[in-house]
Every structure is written in structure tokens, then in C-alpha cells.
Amino acid sequence: MKLRLLLSAAILPLTFAVAAQAADVAPSAAIEPAGDGLFGRVVSADGSPLPGAEIIVRGSGRRAVSNTQGEFSLPGLTGDVVLDVRYIGLPHASQSVVLTPGRAAQVTVTLGGDDVTTVADVVVTGVITDGVARSLNQQKNADGTINVLSSDAIGRYPDPNVAESLQRVPGIAIQRDQGEGRYINVRGAPSAFTAVSVDGVTVPAVDPGTRAVDLDTLPSDIVSNIEVSKTLLPSQDADSIAGAVNIKTRSPFDTRRLAFSGYAGGSYNDYGGDDVRAGATVSNVFGPNQTFGALLSLSYSETNRRPENIENAWVEEDGVFVLEETLFKQYETQRTRQALTGALEWRPTDQTRLYVRGSYADFEDDEYRNTLILGYADGALQPGATNTTATYTGARIYRGLRHRTQNNEITTLVLGGEHSFDNGMVWDADLSWANSEQTYPHRDELIYRSSATTLSYDTRNHYAPSYFYAPGNPIFGDTASGFFATPGNFSFRENTFRSNTTQQEDVAFRTNLEIPSQFAGREVAWKFGLKYASREVDADEERQRDRAASANPGTLASLWGDAQGSNFGYRLGTQYDKGLVDAYLAAAKGSSPRRMPDSLTADYTAQEDILAGYGQARFDVGATNITVGLRVEQTNFDGSAPTVIDGALSTAAVSRDDTEFFPNLTVRHAFNDNLIGRVALTRSISRPEFSQIVPRRVEETDGLDISYEIGNPDLQPTLSNNFDAGLEYYFASLGVVSANVFYKDLSDYRYILNYTEDLANGGEADFETPINAPEGHLMGLELNWQQKFGFLPGWMSGFGVFANFTVTDAEIKTAQNYGGRDTFALPGQSDTNYNAALFYEMGGFSARLSYTKRSDYLEEINADTADLDLYVEGREQLDFTASYDFGNGVEVFGEAKNLTDSAGIKYYGSRERTYEYEKFGYNAFVGVRFKY
């Protein structure tokens, strides 16, 4: 608590103290008119742009950094100047420029070419090292703490989507669905603490239950680079406590010529069938002086999986933990990703540019699931039960087939422009539209239930941890007895149908004005900006269920096919014929009664309007770059949901206004050309999920487990005061060693509380609701080492290493005790997370062996007992890629993913109480890349 007060009290005084230091330099901020200045590009010997290059005007020390197209500007320069250009991994260079008054000068600096004076003599080449160089130069010369992934680096990993690419970044771990990365956790924080944008356009989440963006919807091959800001500047949106991810798509001015590239390949998965991936990009610049550019990029992938899955529901009865049910899930899934990006850009002069950029991504998950449920809780628990063994009489077995199709769509469109004035001012503005939509055209299921039987289990040979290749084999009595395999023991139970659509639409306008000024010979860049964003959310769901005899499709045997089910060695008997069941479900849907009030109470609407403004000043004191500023954001929220009380339909609504201030102090100091230090004091916010803040009560029953989600209109946003500090040492031979510490002081942290209550009509149900914890913290240490071993002799100089390690400590303190506890681990936070990769690159050959691992983390808190808190077991994965470039624009490559065959495991309190055990298998992919 004391530390929070100290941080809160420190940020504002330090912010304005630094501002006062700037103001004390001179009494006015008058802009001095100057010449038209200098505009330029930094490129490699083959003409490729070099982002992140540092350009310094010799003598004055004035500094600029090239953007992703290698471009830079130095307005206001006069006379003859000498530019010193520095870029890790290529020779430093200097170039003289003669400036003519009244006319903007243009210059292209080629590093590694013959038209400059060489200052250093270190050159690294190769696809891997070139991508690393681009990333490190942008990271080194940024004002704040960032990490950058270039498209070249992304292409060296077997990562089909953006989430899996980001797991290679220091401090980032991912959450998976059926083996594929979906959400990211930055520095141990929950996934909703990280905002995601595409080309600067904020992406609304597709899942109605979270603000976290499903990054498995976005394929990695549409990316030019990904920038992860771990400390924010005042010019950035404040809703990123953990960090902000900006996914930049390609520009036609990256190459400035007719360019065509693509790839195609196929793979095999030992828990599924064949996969295919392909993509292509074409771009060109044309018109007078090649001022107009256009780009189109396409991507397609299809994966087929048959993961094996077992789930167990545990409860406590008279001091003993027993199973309520065991679910054997036999999946057959097909996932497709399609993406389209495009850009039109016009650059009539070096001072003016206009652009339209758009992206569209579509993700479809078409899934069949044969399910065998051992319903112990339908019967009576017999005396003598232990924590590992139990017998139930009168229990039942359920056999079902579910067909579920999920479709996610993310669309972004931005129209913008930028103009640099002769006096050095820079003005930019953009109008953006983003739309995210998640639809379930159908979640249809047919279920048969057995007559009463006796079921026993023995879990003493429980599932092994994920670092073993196979689980243990708990004994589930009926999988050995064959009772479930006799069709005559089963009768029709029900059909169920669910369909829903959630749409989030975001419209935003943003403008910024940067004003250079002179304070007694010191340059200060003032920057001011406004942003208005309006987001509308509309969620609609329909549910149906029919248990009438008239809905009975016939005997269970009449719906069986030829396939025999098997899950981790358990015999699951004959499986449903999915064609027969689909035909039945299609015919039965029209007459299946609508479930009320669930078809109403699951719906909700919301609108969130955010008006933000900021001001910041950036200036240099010797080798120290200082940014100081303040951002203000006002949030207006309105939401509503239908409610049904005693059969009467009404609407519950919530309306709130909130204004928050976000002071900021960011300092970068260059101790020398190689050693960079950074310190940042910032403040940030995470607003509540829309579905959690609207007043609604939604049933989410799965199997025998009856559960409800309860909204909380009083839920407050989480605020964080942040301290970050780090040292980075960059090797001239291409590499970096860095250490960063961070502390986040949290107030009103949101968490999900789970509890059990009796129902009015008998039985009991599980409830979950979001509430705020008054205080909490998240702190940690992030270590990173990347290096090409170019100093080794001969062929050994091709080796290099990537390694990063993050250790975090976090906890929240709740306002009330739960099971005698008021202090908990932060949900979603792993104590350790690390990545290690060994790569080799020589000539046209490159290869990389990479390993990633995160430790266990808490997912849900149980209000009744710590022994039923839900944890996700830490998971490791080993991947390998290799490629050979023939030097004529053609490259062949191969990938092997999840060589450890690691499982996904969740457990309640102790690993002996396994909740879920799922395996996805390894994947081997081969393909060809080409470029022109």
C-alpha cells in the first residue's frame, strides 16, 4: 500500500519537475524559421530499407531514426552538413550533404555501398541475421522499451499465427487452444492487459467475454513487423497495463519497385491429417516520379486435427475429493485461416503522404466431438470413498455428438495522411474503422443416456505431467466393462442447439501535431494530440432444447458408423456417424423448443466512447533523451441486457462516466554507442470486459455441470502505476545483452470468483462473477541475450543464440476472505517463462532449434477451498526449422513443431486432481518460398 502511494505521488511531481527543467532553459517557445531541411532514406547495398538506423548531424548532435521504410527527416537544417549513420550489423557510414536555401534536400545513404565513407568494418549477412539486425536497431533507438519482430525473423519459425510468433519475444507467454496459441500474457499479466492494433488501428476482441484479442485469427505471414511497447508514451492509448502490440502490414514503399513474393507447402500431424498453407504478396510503385504505390497480400491455411482430451469435474464431499463426472472427448476439427491486406499510398512530395490501408482476417473452426460422459453424480456415492477412489450406484453414462462451427472475422480500415511543414512542424491525422465479429452458426448436439449402472474409478495412477510423453492410466471402470458399448443400454436424452453472433465495431479519429522549438540553443519537440473512439457491442444468442419422445431419432445403433473410438488407450466403442447425426439435427432444429429465458438473458448491448488528449515534450540533455507528458482519457459507458424475473421480461441498464489522468516520464540515456539505459514512470488502465459489466445472468451448462455467469455493473477499471528500468548492451557484431526490471502497482484488479450455491428447485449450481481486488502488484526481471558468433573461425562463425528469461512475482489482496484466504497469486501469471534458440546460418543454409517453456499459473479462484483453485500446468515446446536459399529467389524450407509432444494440462489445486489432459501431437511441414 505504501509503495502504491509513493509511486502515485512520484509520477506527477517528477513529470512536472522535468517539464520545469525544460521551461527554465528559456522563457519562450518561439519557433525559429529555417530552411526546408533534409529528407532521406537509409538502405542496404541491395536497396532494401533499413529501419531503426540512427542518423546524427555531426557537430550539432541532432538525431533522427529511420522508420520502417528506412526514411528520416531533419527539418530546419541549413548550410553544409555531415551525416553519421549507425546501424548494428552493417558498417557505419558518413555522408556530406549540401543544403540549398529554399529547397528541400533529398539524400539516400547506402550502408555497405561505395557512395559513402566507411567508418566501421563489421558486416553480417543472411536471412536470420538480417531480420535480427532490423529488430535490434529499432529497439536500440526507440525512446521507450520495445521489442520488434521483423517478417524475416517471423518466417524463420514454424508459427502459423501472430500469437505463436509473439511467444519468441522476451517476457511473452501464450495461452493455447487445442495446441495453437490464442492469447498472449506479457510479463505475467492477464491477456486483457495488452491492447492490439493493426497499422495503428485498435482491434476489438472477437470473443464477447474478454477484451483480449484472439491472435490465432491473424496469420503471421501478413506481417511486415510487430512492435511490442512495454512502456507507453503519452501519445499512445493508455489501455495497456502490460504492453501494446502494433502489427504493421507491408507497404509498397518497402521495395519501391514491382515485387512479388509467396510461399506454399503442406504438412502432416500425427494427431490429425494433412495441412496446407500458402500466401502471396504483390506490390509496385508507379506514376510520375513513382509517387503512387499499391500492395495486395493474400494468405490461406487449413489444418486438420484430432486431439485427444479427457476432462474431470471434482467436488469435495465430507472432506474427500471425488469426481462428479469424467468426459472423454474425441475431436475431429478443421481450421481455416484466410487473410487479405491491401494498401494504396500517395507521396507527391517528401513532405506529404496520404494512404489507405485495410486488412481482413477470417478464422473458421469446424469441429465434431464424440463425447462419452461417465456421470457419477447422477448416482449415490458409496461409503469408503477416498481422494483417489470411489464407487457410485445409480450412475449414468452419456454418449453425444456435437457439431460446432466458430467463425471469427477481424476487419480494419484506415485513411490517413501526414505533412511536414517548412518550419519543421509535422501534422498527421487518420480516420479508422475496425470490426470484429464472432459467430457460431451452430453448436448442435445429440445426446443419449444410459440406464442406471454402477461406476467406479481409481485415479492413483494419475495423468503424468506434461514433460512425460504419455499420461498415466487412471482406471475408469466402465471403459473396461463394455456396458457403454451396448446400444440397448441407452435411450434418447435430448437435442440442443445454440447459435450466436457478437459484433464489435470501433470508429476512431486521431490527430497529432509536432512542433519543433528552440530553447537557448536546445531543441525541444512539443507534441499534442486528440483521439475520439466510439465502440458499439451487440451480442445475440439463441438456445433450443428438446427432450420429447417425438424428437427421438431411433435407437443408438441406428446412428452409429464404422469408426471405433480411442482416447489415450481407453476404448470408447463405436462412434456416431456424423453424416447421419447432422441430417437428424438439421431436420429437428425447426421443431426444437426455444429455451427461455436463456435465449434472452445471454444477449446484451454496450457502447463505450473514449475522448483522449495529450501533450508531451521531448528534448535531449547531452546523451540523455527525455520525454515528459500527460494524457487524459474520459470514458462514457452505457450497457443493457434483458432480464426475466418471475416470468416478466424487463431490461437492466448501466451507465457510467470516468475520467483518468496518465502522467508519463520516459528517459533514455546512451552511455556510449553500445550501452543504452532506460527508465520510465507511467500510469495505465485496463477497462472491464463488456460482458462482465452489463447486468446479466447467463447459464453456461456443459455436461452435467450447471453453471451461471453473473454480471457486475459496479466493476471498476484496473489502474496501474508502473516503474520500468533497464540496461541494454549492443554488440557491433550483431547482438544484445539486456536486463529490465519492472513493477506494476495495481488497484481494483479484476478477477473471477467461483462459488457454489443451492438452487431453488433443488440441486446446486456453480456461479462465477467478476469482482475487484483493492490492491495487488506485479513485478519481475527480464533477461535477454542474442548474439551471432561471428568472432569464431571458419564455419563455426555461422552459429548464434537467442535466449531470454523472465521471472515474475505477483499477488492480489481481496476485500474479503475466501476459505480463510485474502491473498492470491495473480491469475494468468507464470513465475518463470523462457525461450532458447540455437541457430546456424552459412551461405544459403539456415537452421534454428528453438525451445519455449512457461511455469504453472492460476486460472480461476475458488471461493470455498484452495484445493479447488484451477491451475494450468506449465508447458514446454521444442521446434525446429531449416531452409536453403538457392540464390535465385527460390528457397525450400522445412519445419517440425512440438517435437516434445507436450500435452496441455489443467488441475484443481494439486496435479493429482487433473481437470483436463489434452494432446495435440507434432507437426512436420515442408514448402517453398519465392520472391522477385
Side-chain angles (χ1 to χ4, degrees), residues 709-773:
E709 293 181 1
I710 311 297
N712 180 2
D714 296 323
L715 197 64
Q716 298 299 307
T718 301
L719 292 165
S720 177
N721 295 319
N722 313 305
F723 170 78
D724 294 84
L727 280 175
E728 305 161 0
Y729 184 83
Y730 293 86
F731 302 107
S733 57
L734 191 62
V736 64
V737 173
S738 64
N740 288 273
V741 296
F742 54 90
Y743 185 93
K744 300 181 183 298
D745 185 64
L746 305 171
S747 60
D748 289 322
Y749 176 81
R750 299 187 308 279
Y751 67 98
I752 301 296
L753 180 68
N754 289 270
Y755 57 96
T756 301
E757 287 187 357
D758 294 331
L759 296 174
N761 58 354
E764 62 181 20
D766 297 326
F767 293 82
E768 64 175 51
T769 188
I771 58 177
N772 292 114

Side-chain angles (χ1 to χ4, degrees), residues 176-187:
R176 298 178 181 270
D177 179 72
Q178 294 192 3
E180 292 188 342
R182 172 161 292 178
Y183 299 117
I184 60 171
N185 301 109
V186 179
R187 289 181 164 180

Side-chain angles (χ1 to χ4, degrees), residues 619-656:
F619 58 95
D620 300 337
V621 180
T624 303
N625 317 123
I626 300 173
T627 302
V628 60
L630 176 68
R631 185 179 186 90
V632 182
E633 294 190 355
Q634 182 187 44
T635 305
N636 295 321
F637 179 87
D638 294 287
S640 63
T643 63
V644 177
I645 301 176
D646 296 329
L649 175 65
S650 62
T651 299
V654 57
S655 182
R656 308 170 16 157

Side-chain angles (χ1 to χ4, degrees), residues 497-500 540-544 594 599-600 603:
F497 301 90
R498 290 178 64 180
S499 60
N500 64 281
D540 179 72
E541 181 169 328
E542 288 295 322
R543 304 187 184 192
Q544 298 169 255
R594 188 186 189 198
S599 292
L600 295 176
D603 303 344

Side-chain angles (χ1 to χ4, degrees), residues 208 211 604-608 637-641 652-656 687-696 710-717 750 770:
R211 287 184 186 257
Y604 72 91
T605 61
Q607 179 166 335
E608 181 179 77
F637 179 87
D638 294 287
S640 63
V654 57
S655 182
R656 308 170 16 157
R687 297 178 177 88
E689 280 72 8
F690 298 106
S691 61
Q692 293 180 345
I693 198 173
V694 293
R696 64 185 195 134
I710 311 297
N712 180 2
D714 296 323
L715 197 64
Q716 298 299 307
R750 299 187 308 279

Side-chain angles (χ1 to χ4, degrees), residues 21-269:
Q21 178 184 350
D24 287 341
V25 176
S28 67
I31 301 169
E32 296 182 3
D36 291 338
L38 184 151
F39 300 87
R41 294 182 72 221
V42 183
V43 299
S44 63
D46 65 358
S48 300
L50 296 177
E54 185 177 36
I55 303 96
I56 298 176
V57 180
R58 188 180 297 178
S60 71
R62 188 171 175 184
R63 175 177 175 268
V65 177
S66 61
N67 64 15
T68 53
Q69 279 83 52
E71 300 163 333
F72 67 92
S73 63
L74 289 164
L77 288 180
T78 58
D80 298 343
V81 297
V82 177
L83 303 179
D84 291 329
V85 184
R86 301 167 181 169
Y87 187 86
I88 305 170
L90 287 173
H92 298 174
S94 63
Q95 184 159 324
S96 299
V97 182
V98 178
L99 297 173
T100 302
R103 188 175 67 185
Q106 299 177 345
V107 62
T108 298
V109 182
T110 304
L111 299 188
D114 298 327
D115 58 342
V116 294
T117 303
T118 299
V119 180
D121 193 23
V122 179
V123 181
V124 294
T125 60
V127 179
I128 292 178
T129 49
D130 183 58
V132 173
R134 294 170 185 271
S135 300
L136 292 184
N137 279 280
Q138 294 175 78
Q139 174 180 310
K140 175 189 175 185
N141 293 313
D143 290 328
T145 301
I146 70 169
N147 293 113
V148 178
L149 278 176
S150 71
S151 58
D152 294 329
I154 292 171
R156 301 301 115 182
Y157 288 109
D159 300 330
N161 65 55
V162 168
E164 301 215 4
S165 296
L166 284 168
Q167 71 177 318
R168 318 293 178 180
V169 174
I172 295 184
I174 62 174
Q175 296 172 237
R176 298 178 181 270
D177 179 72
Q178 294 192 3
E180 292 188 342
R182 172 161 292 178
Y183 299 117
I184 60 171
N185 301 109
V186 179
R187 289 181 164 180
S191 54
F193 279 15
T194 299
V196 176
S197 59
V198 174
D199 292 324
V201 180
T202 301
V203 176
V206 294
D207 189 322
T210 179
R211 287 184 186 257
V213 176
D214 290 38
L215 290 173
D216 58 352
T217 301
L218 303 172
S220 58
D221 52 9
I222 68 170
V223 172
S224 173
N225 68 42
I226 305 175
E227 183 177 293
V228 182
S229 299
K230 294 178 178 174
T231 60
L232 301 179
L233 295 173
S235 56
Q236 294 176 278
D237 293 343
D239 61 341
S240 296
I241 289 178
V245 174
N246 186 26
I247 301 165
K248 297 182 180 180
T249 60
R250 297 179 177 90
S251 165
F253 287 91
D254 290 342
T255 52
R256 296 175 185 253
R257 60 174 176 82
L258 176 62
F260 180 75
S261 62
Y263 78 98
S267 67
Y268 171 78
N269 184 281

Side-chain angles (χ1 to χ4, degrees), residues 802-846:
F802 297 87
N804 56 74
F805 175 77
T806 303
V807 56
T808 59
D809 176 76
E811 66 178 28
I812 57 174
K813 190 175 181 63
T814 57
Q816 59 192 98
N817 286 315
Y818 301 113
R821 305 170 295 160
D822 66 356
T823 303
F824 301 86
L826 190 71
Q829 174 255 331
S830 293
D831 289 341
T832 59
N833 177 54
Y834 56 89
N835 293 280
L838 178 68
F839 72 86
Y840 183 80
E841 189 165 53
M842 184 67 66
F845 177 75
S846 64

Side-chain angles (χ1 to χ4, degrees), residues 505-538:
E505 186 177 46
D506 190 284
V507 178
F509 174 76
R510 175 177 54 188
T511 184
N512 303 282
L513 179 64
E514 186 170 351
I515 306 173
S517 64
Q518 292 286 334
F519 287 97
R522 176 172 295 159
E523 295 182 355
V524 177
W526 298 93
K527 192 172 183 180
F528 305 92
L530 291 171
K531 180 179 179 180
Y532 175 76
S534 179
R535 181 176 301 183
E536 294 184 357
V537 184
D538 192 344

